[in-house]
Each structure stands twice: as structure tokens, then as C-alpha cells.
Amino acid sequence: MKALIIIDMQNDFVPGGALAVKEGDIIVSLINKLQEKFDLVVATQDWHPRDHSSFAVNHAGKNEFETITFEGHSQVLWPVHCVQNSEGAEFHPKLQTSRIEAIFRKGTNQNIDSYSAFYDNAHLKSTGLSGYLKEKGISQLYFCGLAAEYCVYFSIMDALKDGFKATLIEDATRALSHPDFLEAKQQILKAGGHIINSDELS
Ligand code: VGL
Ligand code: ZN
């Protein structure tokens, strides 16, 4: 059985939002159309406390998009985004949510970022998504949403590590940086993942 995993289709990641991905909004209608092709649809939400350690403003003297070492891990410092219960953290208003059976929230721990839908960036804590999908007999995962080379990419890599077949639907994602996305796609293929366009879905 196959599941569609919709990553972080939230207001802050689309044009006008705090951490906007170029063209992030134009994939919403495609993601809506794709949902009916899957046995299960699941979504994630980036869901940070205001004092989150991934926000540049919470590190004196540091700038947005700078990379620092924090608690032993490399961390890109982001603009304040997806603060819990804020409008920026809401799903895009046009995202169809009636078939989304479960929403997994991540990035809630102040001291560690969590790009992947499955684990935090230090792989210390699970979100429970892997067990949830396995319990439902799902073995094939298809990924869409934002941002392609961050939360979508790290989710795919963790899915492969946890033994799922993982496929990126390339026309249903957008990246912050094109060169970084090219590198991410190579890593996905190297790790045994697949990359398709939505017209290849049966
Ligand atoms: C994301 C940066 C920071 C994402 C989340 O959803 O790709 N990127 N937080
Ligand atoms: Zn975030």
C-alpha cells in the first residue's frame, strides 16, 4: 500500500511567508489532485516555539542563513517561521485537508531542529511516523511539499533508512536553492530512492 506524505505546505514557506520558497504556492493544486491516487495521505507541520534555536534572532550577533554549530550540530539559522499557532504555521488555505488522516508536527523541541518527518536532526527522537505507517501496512511512500532540499529531502533519506520504498514527486515540490536541490537529488538516487513526475503515477 502506498502513502502520500505532504511536507510542510504552510503559509510561511510560500511567497509572502517568512521563509518563502519560490513558486511554493503553485504546487498546491497538483498536491490536491494527487491525493486521490493514494491509500493514505499524511501531512507534516513545522511547529516551532518562539524561542526555537533554529531562529537567527535567538542567537545574539548572528545573521539569517548563517550556519553555526549549536550543541554539537551544524545548524542553519532561519528567519522566525512556523511559530506554533501563528498564521504562518497554518496550512496553505487552498490545501485540501479532508483526506489527511494524520498530521505529524516537528521542530517543537527548543534545542534541536527537525527537518525530517521521522526524526529530529540529531536522530534522538522519533515523531512516531515510521511506526504509524508500518502499523497500517504502508511500504511505499511518495513525497511532495516544501522545501525540497530540506524537509522533503531529509524525510526521504530517513524513510529509506527505515526500510520504506521512497519516491520524490519532483513536480510537486520546490526548493530554496537550485544547486542544493541538484545535490539532494543525487543523494536520494544514491541511497536507493526514486524520483518521478506526477504524470508517471498510475
Ligand atoms: C524547513 C527550514 C527550516 C522546511 C523547515 O520545511 O524545509 N526548512 N524549517
Ligand atoms: Zn523550521
mmCIF file of all heavy atoms in Angstrom, residues 38-82:
data_model
loop_
_atom_site.group_PDB
_atom_site.id
_atom_site.type_symbol
_atom_site.label_atom_id
_atom_site.label_comp_id
_atom_site.label_asym_id
_atom_site.label_seq_id
_atom_site.Cartn_x
_atom_site.Cartn_y
_atom_site.Cartn_z
ATOM 1 N N PHE A 38 -3.800 7.754 -3.642
ATOM 2 C CA PHE A 38 -3.096 7.075 -2.544
ATOM 3 C C PHE A 38 -4.056 6.431 -1.544
ATOM 4 O O PHE A 38 -5.171 6.907 -1.338
ATOM 5 C CB PHE A 38 -2.169 8.081 -1.840
ATOM 6 C CG PHE A 38 -1.032 8.502 -2.726
ATOM 7 C CD1 PHE A 38 -1.179 9.566 -3.602
ATOM 8 C CD2 PHE A 38 0.155 7.782 -2.740
ATOM 9 C CE1 PHE A 38 -0.149 9.931 -4.469
ATOM 10 C CE2 PHE A 38 1.186 8.150 -3.589
ATOM 11 C CZ PHE A 38 1.033 9.222 -4.451
ATOM 12 N N ASP A 39 -3.566 5.336 -0.931
ATOM 13 C CA ASP A 39 -4.346 4.648 0.101
ATOM 14 C C ASP A 39 -4.431 5.483 1.370
ATOM 15 O O ASP A 39 -5.372 5.352 2.150
ATOM 16 C CB ASP A 39 -3.677 3.301 0.441
ATOM 17 C CG ASP A 39 -3.531 2.427 -0.782
ATOM 18 O OD1 ASP A 39 -4.577 2.092 -1.383
ATOM 19 O OD2 ASP A 39 -2.388 2.094 -1.169
ATOM 20 N N LEU A 40 -3.391 6.293 1.590
ATOM 21 C CA LEU A 40 -3.305 7.068 2.823
ATOM 22 C C LEU A 40 -2.614 8.388 2.520
ATOM 23 O O LEU A 40 -1.663 8.425 1.737
ATOM 24 C CB LEU A 40 -2.480 6.282 3.863
ATOM 25 C CG LEU A 40 -2.187 6.975 5.194
ATOM 26 C CD1 LEU A 40 -3.457 7.068 6.039
ATOM 27 C CD2 LEU A 40 -1.107 6.215 5.974
ATOM 28 N N VAL A 41 -3.102 9.447 3.122
ATOM 29 C CA VAL A 41 -2.457 10.764 2.993
ATOM 30 C C VAL A 41 -2.120 11.272 4.396
ATOM 31 O O VAL A 41 -2.973 11.274 5.288
ATOM 32 C CB VAL A 41 -3.380 11.779 2.274
ATOM 33 C CG1 VAL A 41 -2.675 13.119 2.128
ATOM 34 C CG2 VAL A 41 -3.825 11.248 0.915
ATOM 35 N N VAL A 42 -0.864 11.662 4.552
ATOM 36 C CA VAL A 42 -0.370 12.162 5.833
ATOM 37 C C VAL A 42 0.326 13.495 5.559
ATOM 38 O O VAL A 42 0.870 13.696 4.469
ATOM 39 C CB VAL A 42 0.633 11.145 6.444
ATOM 40 C CG1 VAL A 42 1.354 11.713 7.640
ATOM 41 C CG2 VAL A 42 -0.076 9.851 6.822
ATOM 42 N N ALA A 43 0.299 14.400 6.516
ATOM 43 C CA ALA A 43 0.986 15.686 6.342
ATOM 44 C C ALA A 43 1.873 15.989 7.539
ATOM 45 O O ALA A 43 1.650 15.457 8.636
ATOM 46 C CB ALA A 43 -0.038 16.804 6.156
ATOM 47 N N THR A 44 2.860 16.835 7.302
ATOM 48 C CA THR A 44 3.673 17.320 8.424
ATOM 49 C C THR A 44 3.500 18.828 8.542
ATOM 50 O O THR A 44 3.129 19.512 7.590
ATOM 51 C CB THR A 44 5.173 17.035 8.241
ATOM 52 O OG1 THR A 44 5.654 17.756 7.094
ATOM 53 C CG2 THR A 44 5.437 15.552 8.075
ATOM 54 N N GLN A 45 3.781 19.314 9.720
ATOM 55 C CA GLN A 45 3.769 20.749 10.006
ATOM 56 C C GLN A 45 5.033 21.086 10.789
ATOM 57 O O GLN A 45 5.312 20.468 11.827
ATOM 58 C CB GLN A 45 2.550 21.080 10.880
ATOM 59 C CG GLN A 45 1.540 21.978 10.235
ATOM 60 C CD GLN A 45 0.314 22.182 11.105
ATOM 61 O OE1 GLN A 45 0.023 21.401 12.017
ATOM 62 N NE2 GLN A 45 -0.418 23.243 10.826
ATOM 63 N N ASP A 46 5.793 22.045 10.275
ATOM 64 C CA ASP A 46 6.896 22.611 11.037
ATOM 65 C C ASP A 46 6.232 23.424 12.151
ATOM 66 O O ASP A 46 5.339 24.236 11.875
ATOM 67 C CB ASP A 46 7.707 23.518 10.085
ATOM 68 C CG ASP A 46 9.188 23.569 10.407
ATOM 69 O OD1 ASP A 46 9.739 22.566 10.885
ATOM 70 O OD2 ASP A 46 9.797 24.640 10.163
ATOM 71 N N TRP A 47 6.638 23.219 13.402
ATOM 72 C CA TRP A 47 5.808 23.725 14.525
ATOM 73 C C TRP A 47 6.715 24.144 15.672
ATOM 74 O O TRP A 47 6.897 23.433 16.651
ATOM 75 C CB TRP A 47 4.840 22.598 14.926
ATOM 76 C CG TRP A 47 3.695 22.974 15.789
ATOM 77 C CD1 TRP A 47 3.530 22.655 17.112
ATOM 78 C CD2 TRP A 47 2.506 23.688 15.401
ATOM 79 N NE1 TRP A 47 2.322 23.133 17.561
ATOM 80 C CE2 TRP A 47 1.672 23.766 16.544
ATOM 81 C CE3 TRP A 47 2.071 24.288 14.204
ATOM 82 C CZ2 TRP A 47 0.433 24.407 16.513
ATOM 83 C CZ3 TRP A 47 0.839 24.918 14.180
ATOM 84 C CH2 TRP A 47 0.036 24.979 15.322
ATOM 85 N N HIS A 48 7.312 25.337 15.520
ATOM 86 C CA HIS A 48 8.353 25.781 16.456
ATOM 87 C C HIS A 48 7.829 26.658 17.591
ATOM 88 O O HIS A 48 6.971 27.523 17.353
ATOM 89 C CB HIS A 48 9.397 26.614 15.703
ATOM 90 C CG HIS A 48 10.103 25.892 14.605
ATOM 91 N ND1 HIS A 48 10.745 24.685 14.785
ATOM 92 C CD2 HIS A 48 10.293 26.220 13.290
ATOM 93 C CE1 HIS A 48 11.298 24.312 13.638
ATOM 94 N NE2 HIS A 48 11.034 25.211 12.713
ATOM 95 N N PRO A 49 8.423 26.494 18.790
ATOM 96 C CA PRO A 49 8.194 27.501 19.833
ATOM 97 C C PRO A 49 8.921 28.794 19.438
ATOM 98 O O PRO A 49 9.877 28.751 18.653
ATOM 99 C CB PRO A 49 8.826 26.869 21.081
ATOM 100 C CG PRO A 49 9.860 25.940 20.565
ATOM 101 C CD PRO A 49 9.354 25.444 19.229
ATOM 102 N N ARG A 50 8.459 29.922 19.962
ATOM 103 C CA ARG A 50 9.035 31.221 19.583
ATOM 104 C C ARG A 50 10.531 31.325 19.916
ATOM 105 O O ARG A 50 11.276 32.039 19.244
ATOM 106 C CB ARG A 50 8.250 32.344 20.287
ATOM 107 C CG ARG A 50 8.581 33.731 19.790
ATOM 108 C CD ARG A 50 7.503 34.743 20.142
ATOM 109 N NE ARG A 50 6.334 34.650 19.273
ATOM 110 C CZ ARG A 50 6.285 35.105 18.022
ATOM 111 N NH1 ARG A 50 7.338 35.674 17.484
ATOM 112 N NH2 ARG A 50 5.189 34.993 17.307
ATOM 113 N N ASP A 51 10.960 30.615 20.955
ATOM 114 C CA ASP A 51 12.380 30.670 21.355
ATOM 115 C C ASP A 51 13.221 29.574 20.690
ATOM 116 O O ASP A 51 14.275 29.196 21.190
ATOM 117 C CB ASP A 51 12.494 30.572 22.888
ATOM 118 C CG ASP A 51 11.872 29.292 23.439
ATOM 119 O OD1 ASP A 51 11.359 28.474 22.639
ATOM 120 O OD2 ASP A 51 11.908 29.098 24.675
ATOM 121 N N HIS A 52 12.778 29.073 19.549
ATOM 122 C CA HIS A 52 13.470 27.938 18.921
ATOM 123 C C HIS A 52 14.900 28.284 18.519
ATOM 124 O O HIS A 52 15.163 29.389 18.015
ATOM 125 C CB HIS A 52 12.691 27.456 17.692
ATOM 126 C CG HIS A 52 13.096 26.096 17.250
ATOM 127 N ND1 HIS A 52 13.753 25.863 16.067
ATOM 128 C CD2 HIS A 52 12.976 24.894 17.857
ATOM 129 C CE1 HIS A 52 13.998 24.560 15.963
ATOM 130 N NE2 HIS A 52 13.533 23.954 17.036
ATOM 131 N N SER A 53 15.791 27.315 18.708
ATOM 132 C CA SER A 53 17.218 27.533 18.448
ATOM 133 C C SER A 53 17.568 27.615 16.960
ATOM 134 O O SER A 53 18.694 27.932 16.611
ATOM 135 C CB SER A 53 18.045 26.426 19.112
ATOM 136 O OG SER A 53 17.622 25.164 18.631
ATOM 137 N N SER A 54 16.628 27.349 16.071
ATOM 138 C CA SER A 54 16.916 27.496 14.638
ATOM 139 C C SER A 54 16.669 28.917 14.148
ATOM 140 O O SER A 54 16.949 29.233 12.993
ATOM 141 C CB SER A 54 16.057 26.534 13.808
ATOM 142 O OG SER A 54 14.719 26.990 13.696
ATOM 143 N N PHE A 55 16.149 29.799 15.019
ATOM 144 C CA PHE A 55 15.861 31.170 14.604
ATOM 145 C C PHE A 55 17.071 32.060 14.864
ATOM 146 O O PHE A 55 17.594 32.115 15.992
ATOM 147 C CB PHE A 55 14.659 31.746 15.370
ATOM 148 C CG PHE A 55 13.350 31.021 15.148
ATOM 149 C CD1 PHE A 55 12.279 31.213 16.016
ATOM 150 C CD2 PHE A 55 13.172 30.166 14.067
ATOM 151 C CE1 PHE A 55 11.066 30.564 15.816
ATOM 152 C CE2 PHE A 55 11.963 29.501 13.862
ATOM 153 C CZ PHE A 55 10.913 29.704 14.746
ATOM 154 N N ALA A 56 17.517 32.797 13.836
ATOM 155 C CA ALA A 56 18.684 33.681 13.983
ATOM 156 C C ALA A 56 18.508 34.673 15.132
ATOM 157 O O ALA A 56 19.466 34.940 15.867
ATOM 158 C CB ALA A 56 18.942 34.415 12.668
ATOM 159 N N VAL A 57 17.292 35.186 15.300
ATOM 160 C CA VAL A 57 17.062 36.196 16.353
ATOM 161 C C VAL A 57 17.355 35.660 17.760
ATOM 162 O O VAL A 57 17.545 36.453 18.683
ATOM 163 C CB VAL A 57 15.612 36.743 16.370
ATOM 164 C CG1 VAL A 57 15.354 37.620 15.190
ATOM 165 C CG2 VAL A 57 14.602 35.617 16.469
ATOM 166 N N ASN A 58 17.377 34.365 17.917
ATOM 167 C CA ASN A 58 17.648 33.784 19.237
ATOM 168 C C ASN A 58 19.138 33.535 19.487
ATOM 169 O O ASN A 58 19.508 32.909 20.483
ATOM 170 C CB ASN A 58 16.826 32.498 19.414
ATOM 171 C CG ASN A 58 15.332 32.797 19.445
ATOM 172 O OD1 ASN A 58 14.919 33.855 19.927
ATOM 173 N ND2 ASN A 58 14.523 31.896 18.917
ATOM 174 N N HIS A 59 19.996 34.028 18.560
ATOM 175 C CA HIS A 59 21.455 33.933 18.716
ATOM 176 C C HIS A 59 22.050 35.326 18.527
ATOM 177 O O HIS A 59 22.100 35.818 17.396
ATOM 178 C CB HIS A 59 22.056 32.955 17.691
ATOM 179 C CG HIS A 59 21.515 31.577 17.814
ATOM 180 N ND1 HIS A 59 22.119 30.604 18.585
ATOM 181 C CD2 HIS A 59 20.412 31.001 17.289
ATOM 182 C CE1 HIS A 59 21.409 29.496 18.514
ATOM 183 N NE2 HIS A 59 20.370 29.700 17.742
ATOM 184 N N ALA A 60 22.469 35.945 19.620
ATOM 185 C CA ALA A 60 22.980 37.322 19.563
ATOM 186 C C ALA A 60 24.114 37.435 18.552
ATOM 187 O O ALA A 60 25.028 36.613 18.534
ATOM 188 C CB ALA A 60 23.457 37.752 20.944
ATOM 189 N N GLY A 61 24.050 38.443 17.698
ATOM 190 C CA GLY A 61 25.131 38.727 16.761
ATOM 191 C C GLY A 61 25.149 37.845 15.514
ATOM 192 O O GLY A 61 26.044 37.975 14.685
ATOM 193 N N LYS A 62 24.190 36.929 15.388
ATOM 194 C CA LYS A 62 24.181 36.039 14.222
ATOM 195 C C LYS A 62 23.129 36.491 13.202
ATOM 196 O O LYS A 62 22.130 37.122 13.556
ATOM 197 C CB LYS A 62 23.870 34.597 14.642
ATOM 198 C CG LYS A 62 24.867 34.012 15.631
ATOM 199 C CD LYS A 62 26.206 33.760 14.963
ATOM 200 C CE LYS A 62 27.201 33.221 15.978
ATOM 201 N NZ LYS A 62 28.560 33.180 15.416
ATOM 202 N N ASN A 63 23.388 36.150 11.945
ATOM 203 C CA ASN A 63 22.503 36.564 10.863
ATOM 204 C C ASN A 63 21.703 35.394 10.286
ATOM 205 O O ASN A 63 22.132 34.242 10.367
ATOM 206 C CB ASN A 63 23.330 37.185 9.717
ATOM 207 C CG ASN A 63 24.038 38.433 10.169
ATOM 208 O OD1 ASN A 63 23.453 39.314 10.797
ATOM 209 N ND2 ASN A 63 25.332 38.509 9.875
ATOM 210 N N GLU A 64 20.585 35.756 9.679
ATOM 211 C CA GLU A 64 19.774 34.749 8.993
ATOM 212 C C GLU A 64 20.580 34.094 7.873
ATOM 213 O O GLU A 64 21.382 34.762 7.217
ATOM 214 C CB GLU A 64 18.514 35.415 8.405
ATOM 215 C CG GLU A 64 17.564 35.886 9.503
ATOM 216 C CD GLU A 64 16.352 36.642 8.977
ATOM 217 O OE1 GLU A 64 16.257 36.850 7.751
ATOM 218 O OE2 GLU A 64 15.516 37.033 9.798
ATOM 219 N N PHE A 65 20.395 32.797 7.708
ATOM 220 C CA PHE A 65 21.019 31.964 6.678
ATOM 221 C C PHE A 65 22.503 31.681 6.941
ATOM 222 O O PHE A 65 23.183 31.090 6.116
ATOM 223 C CB PHE A 65 20.801 32.537 5.264
ATOM 224 C CG PHE A 65 19.336 32.712 4.963
ATOM 225 C CD1 PHE A 65 18.749 33.965 4.968
ATOM 226 C CD2 PHE A 65 18.528 31.605 4.713
ATOM 227 C CE1 PHE A 65 17.386 34.125 4.725
ATOM 228 C CE2 PHE A 65 17.164 31.753 4.467
ATOM 229 C CZ PHE A 65 16.591 33.017 4.475
ATOM 230 N N GLU A 66 22.985 32.107 8.121
ATOM 231 C CA GLU A 66 24.339 31.763 8.556
ATOM 232 C C GLU A 66 24.285 30.335 9.120
ATOM 233 O O GLU A 66 23.264 29.925 9.664
ATOM 234 C CB GLU A 66 24.709 32.741 9.674
ATOM 235 C CG GLU A 66 26.172 33.000 9.892
ATOM 236 C CD GLU A 66 26.396 34.043 10.995
ATOM 237 O OE1 GLU A 66 25.799 35.150 10.935
ATOM 238 O OE2 GLU A 66 27.162 33.738 11.909
ATOM 239 N N THR A 67 25.398 29.592 8.995
ATOM 240 C CA THR A 67 25.440 28.255 9.608
ATOM 241 C C THR A 67 26.311 28.313 10.852
ATOM 242 O O THR A 67 27.422 28.836 10.810
ATOM 243 C CB THR A 67 26.019 27.207 8.622
ATOM 244 O OG1 THR A 67 25.215 27.209 7.447
ATOM 245 C CG2 THR A 67 25.999 25.816 9.229
ATOM 246 N N ILE A 68 25.799 27.804 11.966
ATOM 247 C CA ILE A 68 26.571 27.771 13.207
ATOM 248 C C ILE A 68 26.648 26.320 13.708
ATOM 249 O O ILE A 68 25.965 25.439 13.184
ATOM 250 C CB ILE A 68 25.937 28.656 14.319
ATOM 251 C CG1 ILE A 68 24.547 28.120 14.711
ATOM 252 C CG2 ILE A 68 25.869 30.106 13.889
ATOM 253 C CD1 ILE A 68 24.029 28.666 16.037
ATOM 254 N N THR A 69 27.504 26.110 14.701
ATOM 255 C CA THR A 69 27.469 24.836 15.415
ATOM 256 C C THR A 69 26.736 25.085 16.724
ATOM 257 O O THR A 69 27.095 25.985 17.491
ATOM 258 C CB THR A 69 28.895 24.314 15.683
ATOM 259 O OG1 THR A 69 29.526 24.121 14.423
ATOM 260 C CG2 THR A 69 28.853 22.985 16.428
ATOM 261 N N PHE A 70 25.667 24.349 16.937
ATOM 262 C CA PHE A 70 24.857 24.516 18.144
ATOM 263 C C PHE A 70 24.664 23.156 18.797
ATOM 264 O O PHE A 70 24.187 22.224 18.147
ATOM 265 C CB PHE A 70 23.506 25.148 17.791
ATOM 266 C CG PHE A 70 22.636 25.398 18.998
ATOM 267 C CD1 PHE A 70 22.922 26.437 19.879
ATOM 268 C CD2 PHE A 70 21.544 24.584 19.249
ATOM 269 C CE1 PHE A 70 22.128 26.660 20.989
ATOM 270 C CE2 PHE A 70 20.742 24.804 20.368
ATOM 271 C CZ PHE A 70 21.039 25.834 21.240
ATOM 272 N N GLU A 71 25.102 23.043 20.077
ATOM 273 C CA GLU A 71 25.025 21.778 20.808
ATOM 274 C C GLU A 71 25.609 20.625 19.987
ATOM 275 O O GLU A 71 25.048 19.536 19.939
ATOM 276 C CB GLU A 71 23.577 21.503 21.228
ATOM 277 C CG GLU A 71 23.004 22.655 22.038
ATOM 278 C CD GLU A 71 22.051 22.241 23.152
ATOM 279 O OE1 GLU A 71 21.375 21.227 22.995
ATOM 280 O OE2 GLU A 71 22.037 22.942 24.184
ATOM 281 N N GLY A 72 26.722 20.907 19.325
ATOM 282 C CA GLY A 72 27.444 19.864 18.595
ATOM 283 C C GLY A 72 26.931 19.563 17.200
ATOM 284 O O GLY A 72 27.456 18.678 16.519
ATOM 285 N N HIS A 73 25.884 20.297 16.770
ATOM 286 C CA HIS A 73 25.348 20.034 15.435
ATOM 287 C C HIS A 73 25.363 21.289 14.583
ATOM 288 O O HIS A 73 25.174 22.388 15.086
ATOM 289 C CB HIS A 73 23.915 19.504 15.525
ATOM 290 C CG HIS A 73 23.827 18.215 16.256
ATOM 291 N ND1 HIS A 73 24.107 17.014 15.643
ATOM 292 C CD2 HIS A 73 23.557 17.943 17.549
ATOM 293 C CE1 HIS A 73 23.990 16.057 16.541
ATOM 294 N NE2 HIS A 73 23.664 16.575 17.700
ATOM 295 N N SER A 74 25.575 21.074 13.287
ATOM 296 C CA SER A 74 25.517 22.166 12.341
ATOM 297 C C SER A 74 24.059 22.635 12.214
ATOM 298 O O SER A 74 23.156 21.814 12.093
ATOM 299 C CB SER A 74 26.055 21.648 11.012
ATOM 300 O OG SER A 74 25.839 22.588 10.017
ATOM 301 N N GLN A 75 23.869 23.949 12.271
ATOM 302 C CA GLN A 75 22.506 24.480 12.208
ATOM 303 C C GLN A 75 22.475 25.727 11.341
ATOM 304 O O GLN A 75 23.205 26.686 11.603
ATOM 305 C CB GLN A 75 22.007 24.829 13.629
ATOM 306 C CG GLN A 75 20.669 25.551 13.692
ATOM 307 C CD GLN A 75 19.496 24.644 13.316
ATOM 308 O OE1 GLN A 75 19.342 23.565 13.891
ATOM 309 N NE2 GLN A 75 18.689 25.058 12.347
ATOM 310 N N VAL A 76 21.644 25.709 10.309
ATOM 311 C CA VAL A 76 21.401 26.929 9.539
ATOM 312 C C VAL A 76 20.459 27.797 10.370
ATOM 313 O O VAL A 76 19.486 27.297 10.938
ATOM 314 C CB VAL A 76 20.754 26.616 8.178
ATOM 315 C CG1 VAL A 76 20.500 27.901 7.392
ATOM 316 C CG2 VAL A 76 21.612 25.656 7.367
ATOM 317 N N LEU A 77 20.761 29.088 10.453
ATOM 318 C CA LEU A 77 19.889 29.992 11.207
ATOM 319 C C LEU A 77 18.844 30.606 10.271
ATOM 320 O O LEU A 77 19.175 31.222 9.258
ATOM 321 C CB LEU A 77 20.714 31.084 11.887
ATOM 322 C CG LEU A 77 21.677 30.551 12.961
ATOM 323 C CD1 LEU A 77 22.466 31.701 13.573
ATOM 324 C CD2 LEU A 77 20.926 29.775 14.046
ATOM 325 N N TRP A 78 17.588 30.423 10.620
ATOM 326 C CA TRP A 78 16.474 30.821 9.761
ATOM 327 C C TRP A 78 15.780 32.061 10.296
ATOM 328 O O TRP A 78 15.856 32.365 11.493
ATOM 329 C CB TRP A 78 15.460 29.673 9.690
ATOM 330 C CG TRP A 78 16.028 28.393 9.202
ATOM 331 C CD1 TRP A 78 16.278 27.268 9.942
ATOM 332 C CD2 TRP A 78 16.416 28.070 7.868
ATOM 333 N NE1 TRP A 78 16.791 26.282 9.152
ATOM 334 C CE2 TRP A 78 16.897 26.737 7.872
ATOM 335 C CE3 TRP A 78 16.414 28.776 6.660
ATOM 336 C CZ2 TRP A 78 17.364 26.103 6.728
ATOM 337 C CZ3 TRP A 78 16.881 28.144 5.517
ATOM 338 C CH2 TRP A 78 17.345 26.826 5.555
ATOM 339 N N PRO A 79 15.048 32.736 9.409
ATOM 340 C CA PRO A 79 14.124 33.759 9.907
ATOM 341 C C PRO A 79 13.088 33.063 10.819
ATOM 342 O O PRO A 79 12.867 31.855 10.678
ATOM 343 C CB PRO A 79 13.434 34.285 8.647
ATOM 344 C CG PRO A 79 14.176 33.716 7.485
ATOM 345 C CD PRO A 79 14.955 32.543 7.951
ATOM 346 N N VAL A 80 12.475 33.822 11.704
ATOM 347 C CA VAL A 80 11.398 33.268 12.531
ATOM 348 C C VAL A 80 10.303 32.741 11.587
ATOM 349 O O VAL A 80 9.833 33.465 10.713
ATOM 350 C CB VAL A 80 10.819 34.354 13.469
ATOM 351 C CG1 VAL A 80 9.587 33.833 14.200
ATOM 352 C CG2 VAL A 80 11.885 34.820 14.463
ATOM 353 N N HIS A 81 9.946 31.462 11.729
ATOM 354 C CA HIS A 81 8.938 30.871 10.843
ATOM 355 C C HIS A 81 8.165 29.780 11.576
ATOM 356 O O HIS A 81 8.675 29.173 12.517
ATOM 357 C CB HIS A 81 9.609 30.282 9.589
ATOM 358 C CG HIS A 81 10.500 29.116 9.899
ATOM 359 N ND1 HIS A 81 11.794 29.262 10.363
ATOM 360 C CD2 HIS A 81 10.278 27.786 9.873
ATOM 361 C CE1 HIS A 81 12.331 28.082 10.578
ATOM 362 N NE2 HIS A 81 11.433 27.153 10.310
ATOM 363 N N CYS A 82 6.972 29.528 11.108
ATOM 364 C CA CYS A 82 6.136 28.424 11.619
ATOM 365 C C CYS A 82 6.093 28.372 13.141
ATOM 366 O O CYS A 82 6.274 27.309 13.752
ATOM 367 C CB CYS A 82 6.595 27.098 11.032
ATOM 368 S SG CYS A 82 6.389 27.009 9.254
#
